Amino acid sequence: MEGNKRVVFSWNMLRYSYGAVLLLAGLDKLFGTDFIVYWPKYISPLVGTHMPVSVGVFLGFMGIVEIAVAILLVTKWPRIGGYLSVAWLVLIDEERGKVKVLVPMFGSC
């Protein structure tokens, strides 16, 4: 039983830390403070020019999604939050040190 308590404790610590990181990054993007990093530099210029909204509005939307996922992770729905987090990370592609958001709906699909 002691080993099981350690596993549960470790799992909860990872869950809460990841939720806290997502919450802080989401709040930083939502309010546009750029306290952690200057977020607009991580949006691909190609995607930025084809968006129907400004980069600031898009980053605010990204912040809302990250805050929602963080809330799901730290409440009683961590499995749903985990799946949404993975889906969100799949939309991000790292190429040559720059993170590009892949949004096919803004292309000519």
Side-chain angles (χ1 to χ4, degrees):
M1 190 68 176
E2 184 67 30
N4 194 16
K5 287 182 183 178
R6 289 182 182 168
V7 170
V8 170
F9 175 77
S10 300
W11 186 79
N12 282 329
M13 288 300 292
L14 285 170
R15 184 177 91 170
Y16 294 134
S17 353
Y18 186 58
V21 167
L22 275 178
L23 181 67
L24 291 175
L27 288 172
D28 190 32
K29 288 175 187 169
L30 178 63
F31 294 119
T33 58
D34 297 330
F35 183 69
I36 298 173
V37 70
Y38 182 68
W39 294 108
K41 76 176 183 179
Y42 290 103
I43 302 294
S44 168
L46 178 66
V47 172
T49 57
H50 289 85
M51 286 191 300
V53 295
S54 69
V55 173
V57 172
F58 182 69
L59 286 173
F61 171 72
M62 288 176 63
I64 290 171
V65 170
E66 288 180 357
I67 292 168
V69 169
I71 290 171
L72 286 173
L73 282 173
V74 299
T75 57
K76 59 193 270 191
W77 299 289
R79 186 172 301 237
I80 296 170
Y83 285 132
L84 288 175
S85 177
V86 168
W88 189 249
L89 291 174
V90 165
L91 294 174
I92 298 174
D93 176 41
E94 185 173 340
E95 181 180 311
R96 291 188 227 136
K98 290 201 130 200
V99 177
K100 297 190 317 182
V101 179
L102 301 175
V103 186
M105 71 179 109
F106 295 131
S108 58
C109 298

